Amino acid sequence: MRASSTEAVSPRQVPLGPIYAALFVQVLINTGTYLAGKRAMEELPPVTVVLWRFLLSATVFCLLLLFTPGPKLPPRSEWRRVLMLGLLAGPINQMLFFYGLSHSTASHAALLYALTPLGVYLVSLARGHERPSSRATLGILTALAGVVVLLLGRGLASARGSLLGDLLILAAVSAWVVYTTEGKPFAAAHGPLRSTAWSMVAAAVLLLPVTPFALEPGRTFSASLSALGSIAYLAILTSVVAYLIWYYALSKVPASRVAIFSNLQPATTALAAWLLLGESLHWGLALGGGLVIAGVRLTQSAPLAPVPPRALEEMVEAPVLEDSGRARG
């Protein structure tokens, strides 16, 4: 798959304030995702929660596509990539994440997801999507150091979680890294709404084979309002709003600068756990949170290298691809 030209374009060519504000909202939504996921799985199996989440979100996206001008289906040349993104987002990432979360804690899952920016940056460098930047590297390492401080501040024993849960969540993080790097050129070519909708609908379709065994409508509808509300939160806010923001940001700025916002989640999750679950705050939150914010700032302010000739060619080709998609839709 070819890289999108927008990886090499300086984000200073677009207004960054609204993009970063939207990403902060996405961080807050994802903070609630950890808590909502834990609450829903108190009454329902992980596979049932994931299945309802994607069936509901796919329904919402189908309605959005129905009332949005333009193609409703991806061009046939992109079906393979849509299925791949759907596979990464649904059966792989979310199944691994929820099963891992059921064996671990919300705060520790957030800590492991803080590895996302490092993975995205390394993959983007390896594929030539981005140029090396000492400031970006320093920013990612600074934010990662902040995550380590948060972990130490809580105490390794309380934040460790089970080995099985850790390994499953780490595998989910790896899938999310690939989803982010592969999704960026797709979002640049087709726009955030269609890119997100097509991948989420594909995820739901790929999960259909387990529906007869895992949907459990009787058990689901007899669950508490709190558990049902948690599933609605996961389906609407996480799978629709947060994913749309993620793809919107990916269509505008380099993937590593989008992914670095994942480093904010350990701090926001700790605060949410304090407010909603009564967990105590600790010295590491202030220091680690400060390092994370400094790292995010360093990464966002890192200068980008000039656009390479191949990227310039792809800039011209991307709009052509989108027009082709409209014609086939």
Side-chain angles (χ1 to χ4, degrees):
M1 297 178 189
R2 294 179 307 159
S4 170
S5 60
T6 54
E7 281 289 6
V9 180
S10 170
R12 293 186 178 85
Q13 295 179 2
V14 296
L16 298 181
I19 297 174
Y20 293 158
L23 280 170
F24 185 71
V25 172
Q26 195 256 3
V27 168
L28 295 179
I29 293 174
N30 281 345
T31 297
T33 298
Y34 299 109
L35 305 181
K38 291 292 287 187
R39 179 63 189 88
M41 287 187 294
E42 289 178 4
E43 301 183 35
L44 298 168
V47 63
T48 301
V49 175
V50 172
L51 189 56
W52 277 106
R53 169 186 174 177
F54 278 96
L55 289 178
L56 291 173
S57 63
T59 301
V60 173
F61 275 120
C62 286
L63 291 174
L64 287 175
L65 285 174
L66 183 63
F67 292 101
T68 300
K72 312 305 179 187
L73 297 175
R76 291 192 178 184
S77 60
E78 294 281 39
W79 283 9
R80 185 175 179 180
R81 177 152 57 171
V82 169
L83 287 174
M84 185 269 292
L85 291 172
L87 180 65
L88 288 169
I92 297 180
N93 174 261
Q94 288 303 298
M95 284 295 187
L96 289 171
F97 170 69
F98 275 92
Y99 272 103
L101 187 61
S102 68
H103 291 283
S104 189
T105 64
S107 59
H108 197 239
L111 287 168
L112 289 173
Y113 261 86
L115 295 172
T116 299
L118 182 59
V120 169
Y121 185 57
L122 292 176
V123 172
S124 295
L125 287 180
R127 296 189 175 184
H129 292 190
E130 297 187 35
R131 297 294 183 86
S133 167
S134 58
R135 186 180 295 183
T137 303
L138 178 60
I140 290 173
L141 293 177
T142 300
L144 192 59
V147 171
V148 172
V149 170
L150 286 168
L151 177 60
L152 293 174
R154 290 188 63 84
L156 290 174
S158 65
R160 183 170 59 238
S162 73
L163 178 60
L164 175 61
D166 292 350
L167 291 176
L168 290 174
I169 294 172
L170 190 58
V173 171
S174 301
W176 184 249
V177 166
V178 178
Y179 176 82
T180 298
T181 53
E182 293 294 343
K184 175 165 180 54
F186 190 61
H190 300 287
L193 175 58
R194 291 183 181 85
S195 301
T196 310
W198 291 337
S199 62
M200 291 297 100
V201 172
V205 170
L206 291 170
L207 286 168
L208 286 179
V210 303
T211 299
F213 313 100
L215 192 63
E216 299 195 48
R219 183 176 177 182
T220 300
F221 292 122
S222 63
S224 67
L225 288 178
S226 178
L228 294 177
S230 295
I231 292 176
Y233 182 101
L234 295 170
I236 307 301
L237 290 179
T238 302
S239 295
V240 178
V241 179
Y243 273 63
L244 279 173
I245 293 173
W246 191 258
Y247 259 137
Y248 165 72
L250 283 176
S251 70
K252 300 296 182 181
V253 297
S256 63
R257 297 194 177 192
V258 176
I260 192 63
F261 278 82
S262 300
N263 282 126
L264 292 172
Q265 288 177 14
T268 55
T269 301
L271 286 172
W274 170 62
L275 289 171
L276 301 176
L277 303 180
E279 295 185 7
S280 60
L281 297 178
H282 52 86
W283 63 268
L285 182 61
L287 178 58
L291 287 171
V292 166
I293 293 172
V296 171
R297 179 64 187 133
L298 273 172
T299 303
Q300 302 303 335
S301 63
L304 294 180
V307 180
R310 180 170 178 79
L312 285 172
E313 295 175 4
E314 291 174 348
M315 279 186 193
V316 178
E317 294 175 2
V320 174
L321 176 61
E322 185 172 8
D323 291 339
S324 174
R326 289 198 181 112
R328 296 178 190 177

